[in-house]
Amino acid sequence: MKRNLRLSFAALVAVMLLPCCAKAPEVNPAADGSAPNLTKEASATLERSSMDSALPVWAEGRESEYNLDLAFRATVRSNGRQRAKVRLTAQNSYRLKVNGEFVAHGPCVAAHDWFRIDEYDITAHLKKGENVVAIEVVAYNDPGYSFADGPGFLAAEVILQHRVAAATGAVSGKRGKRIVPFRAYELKTKRQDVPRYSLQRPALEVYDLTSDYDKWCSDPSWDAPDKEVALTVQTEKQYLPRHVLQPKFDIVEAEALSDTMFHFQGNKCGFLGAVVKVSEPTELTLAFEELLYPTPDRKFRELWKNQSKAVFNLQPGEYTIETMEPYAMQYVDCIADRPGVEVEKVYIREYVGSDALRAQFECSDPRVNALFEAARETHRQNALDIFIDCPHRERGGWLGDSYFSARAAMAFSGRTRVEDNFFQNFLIRDTFPNAPQGMIPMLYPGDDLFGPSYIPNWAMWFILELEEYATRRGHPEVLEAARSKVYSLCEFFEQYLNEYGLLENLSSWVFVEWSHANDLVQDVNFPTNMLYAEMLDAIGRMYHDSDLTDRAAILRHTIREWSYNGEFFEDNAVRGDNGVLKSTGECTEVCQYYAFFSNTAAPDTHPELWKKIVEEFTPDRTARGAYPEIWPANVWPGCFLRYEILSRRGLSKQLMNEIVATFYPMTLMTTTLWENLDISASCDHGFGATLAFIFFRDILGVRDIDLEERKVLISMKDFGLEWCRGTIPVGDGNIEFQWALKPDGYFDYTISVPEGFIFEEL
């Protein structure tokens, strides 16, 4: 069909997929069970899971021992035709093999005192006769950002057809059929007394191996009575289903740059492996990084105190070695302390999400296409079972970041599977180990090495994401399930309100952005107060609470009186020795974006500032020397807040050009999207994947997908592209939309929407 584009953007929906709730939330569980119900308040309908026979077990008296690695195995007999599966979970990390073949790594993470059961079909790995089901398990008993800390255990069972054939802690089953117990061994191939890998992740991997080190997981006749450990049944566990799709474990081989240096085509995430031959006892270090420093000696970065390496002490022989934990990298340096080491192959076994492949995007600008694929790759590596920040340094489930990662997840998958788990982990518990009563942890599940700490700003982002999540999910009962936590958070912030109604001297870690803005957070930080006003407004919308809506309006007025100096919004005010609050006069770029994002300012109320933002604060501002007194913004949230406010005004051409200018150089270096504008931090950060969401909304022109009204709103605009096409998943269906700009200024387009949906052209 041929339509002339209407150029008015006044009626454009501000954010795709994210209208405010239009009616009061009621508890109304999804009839199809597509998403788990949340919180203990809803325990009557909480989607729990259970083991058929397996009991949680661990080495007797060693449940709290640091970095203990155990090898569990059971031998089961098959006729070669039976369907078979393994169901298992553990406190920290496990690696499952059948007859020596890798099957899976886990577990799917969950909140403290809850555990998700992973289930894997192992039929293709079985042979007729005896089969070895082997599970290597490590319990760290050391705080980390990537999991909930707790005493070690494994619960696992093997099911042949419909019968439990092997299980931890069980010796007999129904109808008198014997169940083979898993036996456990301490092989001591993985060193226990090692330093941390990073500030945020425990236990550097160091191994002592002989060439037959992995025989225990493949040979039915293998036994080592002197290494067997006695097992005891641990306290009863609370189980949940995995819910999210299983990971992808594809093998990707690196290209050899020299005898020792190897290179992947862009950042990859997973388990680093190598095939090597050793002629004499050798210490082989596999050092890895996302980028090399651009210096003559091409050194790896010493970043965030990471020990980006795994160490293998090898006796003479041939080996296939592989790390137990996942990392992200592009370059690998194989460093041996002896000559005569042959590195035949370096590879990575990917550990990435599998729910990002249906979405497609392509346009006439190849740079934009490369950015979309970089967003997909970044998302795959950071959205496995929760939204994490980076797959290398910490693998932490951070709030704030997740606000943007969740948008990308919906754009790529058309579902909220990962976000369901992410929110359930936060909402299923009444209290948290690392946050005071009423506060929501800055990341979860996880534990801080330095004890309780939290970011109050991240709790505000939690509320903003919750509002969007309720709409994305299509089942607003999540709001009722979250009500008590939401209002407890409101009560928590009350204690920090000063005589003007502004938050002052918030405790713990106030975080605005990785820029100079973070040096201006006390005493009264205005970006934080702007976000707080938006939080109050969001709660008012979700729960139809006019008191909070009114408070948000008053707070915005107060912020304008204190922060706006007639030209720019200033970042903070401090109390002098006389106790009088006074603005510091400091202004940052990101503060201006917070003002417009939070509706503290608007183009109509602050037109001169808006004009400066649009015309002067472009990516080349620093190079042009424009407004040097305004401290520059960084990627998150600065760039993404800027993109939101540009999108709200329909400035799609400028939005596209700025994204290309900022992010395209990153894709050329890593094929992933970065934490900062430079290489000083992670070069593979989850929130960057929201570019895909922006491309669907602002470039393809699918401005809104209203799940409640089952309506798709589209809009096309001439901003320099000749054509664009895309596939956007929506549940089990897809939106297929493409357009081409004709020489006469008209658009030809075709669109198909899922059954039951309609579309409208704006």
Side-chain angles (χ1 to χ4, degrees):
M1 59 185 70
K2 194 171 186 178
R3 300 285 179 89
N4 192 14
L5 176 65
R6 291 196 291 271
L7 297 179
S8 172
F9 281 81
L12 290 184
V13 179
V15 185
M16 190 179 87
L17 298 175
L18 309 175
C20 299
C21 292
K23 57 184 179 181
E26 298 176 354
V27 177
N28 182 25
D32 62 359
S34 60
N37 296 301
L38 306 174
T39 76
K40 291 184 177 179
E41 290 91 328
S43 60
T45 54
L46 184 65
E47 187 184 1
R48 296 173 182 262
S49 189
S50 63
M51 291 288 187
D52 289 347
S53 298
L55 298 174
V57 300
W58 197 247
E60 184 175 8
R62 305 178 69 181
E63 299 85 356
S64 300
E65 195 169 308
Y66 169 72
N67 193 29
L68 179 57
D69 186 79
L70 296 181
F72 290 80
R73 57 176 262 147
T75 302
V76 298
R77 181 170 290 277
S78 171
N79 61 17
R81 300 184 302 275
Q82 296 160 303
R83 301 291 301 177
K85 61 184 178 182
V86 174
R87 305 175 72 241
L88 74 167
T89 191
Q91 177 67 53
N92 295 150
S93 292
Y94 71 73
R95 176 165 53 193
L96 169 65
K97 293 184 177 182
V98 176
N99 295 324
E101 296 180 350
F102 179 94
V103 176
H105 174 96
C108 179
V109 299
H112 287 82
D113 304 322
W114 290 85
F115 304 94
R116 299 188 185 277
I117 296 177
D118 298 322
E119 185 173 300
Y120 296 96
D121 189 326
I122 62 168
T123 305
H125 297 277
L126 295 185
K127 60 187 178 182
K128 186 176 181 179
E130 291 188 322
N131 296 267
V132 178
V133 178
I135 310 169
E136 183 179 359
V137 188
V138 59
Y140 289 113
N141 282 297
D142 199 22
Y145 283 7
S146 55
F147 48 75
D149 192 23
F153 83 91
L154 169 70
E157 57 192 20
V158 182
I159 300 175
L160 292 178
Q161 294 296 91
H162 303 293
R163 179 180 69 85
V164 177
T168 52
V171 294
S172 62
K174 298 177 182 178
R175 297 182 295 279
K177 292 191 176 182
R178 183 175 181 274
I179 299 177
V180 176
F182 275 87
R183 297 165 66 185
Y185 303 83
E186 186 180 7
L187 302 180
K188 292 187 178 296
T189 54
K190 184 173 184 288
R191 287 193 190 175
Q192 189 173 5
D193 186 14
V194 293
R196 294 180 69 87
Y197 163 76
S198 73
L199 202 62
Q200 302 89 350
R201 295 177 66 179
L204 180 71
E205 294 189 56
V206 181
Y207 294 89
D208 298 306
L209 305 178
T210 58
S211 58
D212 63 348
Y213 78 96
D214 57 352
K215 191 175 181 180
W216 71 274
C217 63
S218 60
D219 185 353
S221 65
W222 179 92
D223 196 9
D226 59 318
K227 297 178 181 179
E228 186 170 3
V229 297
L231 297 174
T232 57
V233 175
Q234 304 300 300
T235 57
E236 186 177 355
K237 308 300 180 184
Q238 301 180 95
Y239 297 125
L240 296 168
R242 178 183 176 88
H243 186 61
V244 297
L245 298 184
Q246 293 176 358
K248 300 282 283 185
F249 296 110
D250 296 339
I251 297 291
V252 179
E253 191 169 341
E255 171 193 12
L257 300 180
S258 68
D259 290 343
T260 63
M261 183 71 76
F262 291 79
H263 172 244
F264 295 102
Q265 296 301 312
N267 266 342
K268 302 297 177 185
C269 170
F271 311 102
L272 176 60
V275 178
V276 300
K277 291 182 180 179
V278 177
S279 59
E280 59 180 300
T282 300
E283 180 183 271
L284 177 64
T285 299
L286 302 183
F288 49 86
E289 248 301 355
E290 298 171 302
L291 281 172
L292 303 178
Y293 267 135
T295 57
D297 54 2
R298 294 167 62 86
K299 287 185 177 180
F300 283 173
R301 303 178 299 169
E302 294 181 2
L303 181 65
W304 291 81
K305 300 184 179 179
N306 283 13
Q307 300 196 65
S308 300
K309 62 185 179 181
V311 181
F312 298 85
N313 294 286
L314 306 175
Q315 296 300 311
E318 299 182 8
Y319 294 84
T320 298
I321 52 179
E322 188 173 306
T323 64
M324 177 74 174
E325 292 292 343
Y327 309 98
M329 68 200 69
Q330 184 176 191
Y331 293 91
V332 181
D333 195 4
C334 303
I335 307 165
D337 70 342
R338 296 285 190 277
V341 175
E342 296 181 40
V343 182
E344 296 183 358
K345 180 171 72 172
V346 170
Y347 67 90
I348 200 163
R349 187 185 302 276
E350 287 193 304
Y351 190 48
V352 296
S354 56
D355 208 6
L357 302 179
R358 287 167 56 199
Q360 301 296 326
F361 176 92
E362 191 177 13
C363 71
S364 55
D365 189 332
R367 300 172 302 170
V368 178
N369 300 337
L371 281 167
F372 183 85
E373 293 306 320
R376 189 201 307 274
E377 188 59 31
T378 301
H379 185 69
R380 291 174 72 231
Q381 297 184 27
N382 289 281
L384 187 69
D385 46 19
I386 59 171
F387 301 128
I388 64 173
D389 61 334
C390 59
H392 182 14
R393 184 179 73 226
E394 56 198 54
R395 302 184 67 84
W398 289 88
L399 290 171
D401 299 45
S402 65
Y403 175 85
F404 294 95
S405 297
R407 293 178 166 188
M410 191 69 180
F412 279 121
S413 71
R415 299 187 185 276
T416 60
R417 289 188 182 101
V418 175
E419 195 174 19
D420 293 337
N421 279 21
F422 188 80
F423 264 104
Q424 187 181 64
N425 292 337
F426 277 95
L427 296 178
I428 200 171
R429 285 187 58 91
D430 293 327
T431 60
F432 300 95
N434 296 301
Q437 185 65 39
M439 177 49 63
I440 297 168
M442 60 187 182
L443 79 158
Y444 200 71
D447 296 276
D448 199 318
L449 177 66
F450 303 106
S453 64
Y454 58 92
I455 300 176
N457 312 60
W458 269 208
M460 300 174 194
W461 283 108
F462 173 90
I463 298 300
L464 301 191
E465 184 183 347
L466 176 65
E467 182 182 25
E468 297 191 357
Y469 171 56
T471 302
R472 272 193 292 268
R473 191 171 183 260
H475 304 301
E477 78 279 359
V478 66
L479 299 182
E480 193 59 37
R483 180 189 290 269
S484 64
K485 277 192 172 57
V486 169
Y487 278 91
S488 292
L489 182 64
C490 287
E491 293 177 11
F492 177 88
F493 281 121
E494 294 283 339
Q495 63 186 304
Y496 295 98
L497 295 176
N498 65 13
E499 67 270 32
Y500 306 105
L502 296 165
L503 293 173
E504 182 174 353
N505 285 328
L506 284 167
S507 57
S508 201
W509 182 16
V510 177
F511 186 93
V512 175
E513 184 186 57
W514 286 126
S515 67
H516 186 66
N518 240 44
D519 298 326
L520 306 171
V521 296
Q522 295 296 348
D523 295 333
V524 173
N525 177 256
F526 293 117
T528 298
N529 275 277
M530 294 168 184
L531 191 62
Y532 178 55
E534 187 65 15
M535 182 199 89
L536 294 175
D537 219 355
I539 298 172
R541 292 189 296 264
M542 287 188 287
Y543 297 103
H544 303 276
D545 189 332
S546 59
D547 289 342
L548 290 183
T549 302
D550 292 343
R551 280 184 56 190
I554 294 170
L555 179 56
R556 290 183 177 117
H557 176 75
T558 304
I559 294 169
R560 287 190 291 267
E561 286 191 326
W562 274 93
S563 177
Y564 188 60
N565 64 18
E567 186 176 14
F568 293 102
F569 283 88
E570 298 177 357
D571 274 65
N572 69 324
V574 298
R575 295 211 181 252
D577 294 338
N578 58 1
V580 175
L581 193 66
K582 184 178 180 181
S583 177
T584 64
E586 293 263 27
C587 297
T588 67
E589 182 179 346
V590 74
C591 180
Q592 317 313 307
Y593 299 154
Y594 270 104
F596 284 90
F597 175 80
S598 68
N599 299 300
T600 304
D604 297 335
T605 61
H606 295 73
E608 292 302 316
L609 176 56
W610 175 250
K611 183 178 180 182
K612 289 186 181 74
I613 285 177
V614 172
E615 297 178 359
E616 298 293 335
F617 284 75
T618 51
D620 62 346
R621 175 175 75 92
T622 300
R624 289 187 290 106
Y627 295 98
E629 72 278 12
I630 308 299
W631 296 92
N634 206 333
V635 172
W636 194 95
C639 286
F640 289 108
L641 294 185
R642 177 176 177 84
Y643 300 154
E644 280 305 297
I645 62 180
L646 291 177
S647 175
R648 292 175 186 179
R649 300 296 287 188
L651 299 175
S652 299
K653 181 177 182 179
Q654 179 171 351
L655 181 59
M656 182 185 73
N657 290 338
E658 290 191 9
I659 288 174
V660 170
T662 300
F663 289 96
Y664 183 62
M666 300 180 189
T667 71
L668 299 178
M669 297 177 69
T670 63
T671 70
T672 50
L673 303 169
W674 302 355
E675 181 178 10
N676 290 338
L677 291 170
D678 56 29
I679 66 170
S680 61
S682 162
C683 295
D684 186 353
H685 229 70
F687 56 64
T690 197
L691 289 187
F693 165 84
I694 294 172
F695 288 176
F696 282 144
R697 180 189 65 190
D698 296 285
I699 298 179
L700 181 61
V702 178
R703 293 296 304 186
D704 183 67
I705 303 172
D706 190 328
L707 296 179
E708 185 175 357
E709 298 293 330
R710 301 180 73 79
K711 181 186 298 184
V712 179
L713 300 180
I714 61 172
S715 175
M716 296 153 288
K717 186 179 182 181
D718 180 6
F719 46 84
L721 293 179
E722 298 174 3
W723 55 268
C724 189
R725 55 176 171 257
T727 299
I728 306 176
V730 180
D732 292 330
N734 292 320
I735 297 169
E736 304 278 355
F737 181 39
Q738 61 181 0
W739 54 259
L741 179 63
K742 298 303 181 182
D744 59 6
Y746 282 72
F747 283 91
D748 276 350
Y749 72 85
T750 60
I751 183 171
S752 65
V753 297
E755 185 176 354
F757 278 73
I758 62 172
F759 74 92
E760 290 184 5
E761 182 185 349
L762 290 169

